[in-house]
Structure formats: structure tokens, C-alpha cells
Amino acid sequence: MSIQKINIVLFGPGKVGSQLVNRILENQSLLLEEGKDIRISLVVSSSLVFIENNINKNTWDVTFIKSSKNERTNNIVSYIQDNELVNTIVVDASKSNELIDDYGYFFQNGFDVISVNGDAEKLSRKQSDEIKINSEVYGKEFFKLNNLLITQEQASEFAFQNILKISQNITQNTLVKQAI
């Protein structure tokens, strides 16, 4: 069985994001047995980026962000592309509506998006439709938490389960491509 590498880019290393990281790390051995190498490649806060250390698994190097929000997003996308981080899933666990505006840009660059950002719940119908259309146009998955009254643990579990769904779809698509 071949191992399918999945790269997670986590925006918002707060409580929900931290719980998600712990859940992934706790299940890494089992996921590897299932052929899924789910890695937390980048963790992004408002002022820091933690970059996975390629030598020591599950350790991260830190760098400071000295750029505007738009430059930060562009730099992160460039980093992902330059380092050939395939099968990238962006998880938005931030508490800011700024990142929501970048979902279309993430889809355009080939990334799936999972949002547990409470501000995504407050989007207008038009904004929600635009995000959905963009995900469909670029053939990317989009999962958005629709209930703000759940616990942080439930939000983290929502993100984890959808990472598993997307990784399963990636694995199936890879098998179909190999069979052709």
C-alpha cells in the first residue's frame, strides 16, 4: 500500500487549533497504517508561522511575520508551492473574518478548505454562495461549521473528521488516476 501524504495548514493555533493538532498527532500511527500521512506543515498565527521541520517529524521551526495580511497569504501560498506540499488542506480555526476573504484564493491554488471560524457563520447568503461556487469551479472540498453553539472539542472533531473525508477522497482519486 502506498502512503498518501496530506499537508495541513492551520490558521489559528488557539484552543480549537491546538486540540486538532493533538488529535492528529495522537492518531498518526493508526492513520499511517491506513495509508495516510497527515502532517501539520504550517501553523499560522497573526504574528508567527510555525513551519514543520523536515528533519525531525512533529517539530516546527518558528518565523515572525513582517508583512501585511495580503502579503502573508501570498507568502504562505508561495511557500506551499515552492516546497511542493501536495494535497494541502487549509484549516481556518482563526477568529477573524479576514481569512475568509482568501478562501477563493486557496481554492484557486488547489487547496481544500475546512472552516471552524465562527465568523464564517455570519456570512451573507451571497458570500456563502461565492465560496461554494469557487470550491466547485476549482474542484476543491469546502466544509464549514454551521453551529456556533458547539464546544471547542466538537469544533476540533468536526475539523478532524473532515480532514479524514478529504484525505479519503484524495486517496480514491489517486487510485483512479493510477488505474487509468
Side-chain angles (χ1 to χ4, degrees), residues 68-164:
S68 69
K69 181 205 107 25
N70 288 341
E71 289 173 326
R72 175 184 68 177
T73 301
N74 290 335
N75 290 341
I76 288 168
V77 169
S78 293
Y79 177 86
I80 293 166
Q81 293 169 338
D82 292 347
N83 289 279
E84 300 177 2
L85 300 180
V86 296
N87 304 323
T88 298
I89 302 171
V90 172
V91 178
D92 179 8
S94 71
K95 295 179 181 176
S96 168
N97 62 3
E98 290 180 356
L99 190 62
I100 296 168
D101 294 335
D102 292 329
Y103 290 177
Y105 184 61
F106 292 138
F107 298 137
Q108 182 181 357
N109 283 282
F111 312 148
D112 299 292
V113 176
I114 299 169
S115 178
V116 292
N117 180 336
D119 283 349
E121 179 69 21
K122 302 171 191 170
L123 294 175
S124 71
R125 175 80 171 169
K126 181 181 177 189
Q127 290 170 306
S128 292
D129 289 346
E130 283 179 18
I131 291 170
K132 184 178 179 186
I133 289 167
N134 273 323
S135 73
E136 291 170 358
V137 164
Y138 293 104
K140 303 315 298 175
E141 301 273 355
F142 176 63
F143 295 99
K144 178 182 79 158
L145 186 62
N146 290 319
N147 184 349
L148 295 178
L149 301 177
I150 67 171
T151 66
Q152 293 169 339
E153 291 82 10
Q154 291 168 320
S156 173
E157 185 64 18
F158 171 87
F160 181 73
Q161 291 302 322
N162 285 299
I163 288 169
L164 296 180

Side-chain angles (χ1 to χ4, degrees), residues 24-50:
I24 291 169
L25 295 178
E26 289 168 359
N27 287 282
Q28 245 175 5
S29 296
L30 178 62
L31 292 167
L32 276 171
E33 289 174 17
E34 296 173 2
K36 298 173 186 129
D37 183 14
I38 298 178
R39 309 293 288 270
I40 297 102
S41 301
L42 297 169
V43 179
V44 184
S45 74
S46 59
S47 60
L48 300 172
V49 177
F50 298 87

Side-chain angles (χ1 to χ4, degrees), residues 7-24:
N7 291 287
I8 305 299
V9 176
L10 172 64
F11 286 86
K15 290 182 181 179
V16 172
S18 296
Q19 289 173 0
L20 176 61
V21 169
N22 287 334
R23 184 87 156 92
I24 291 169

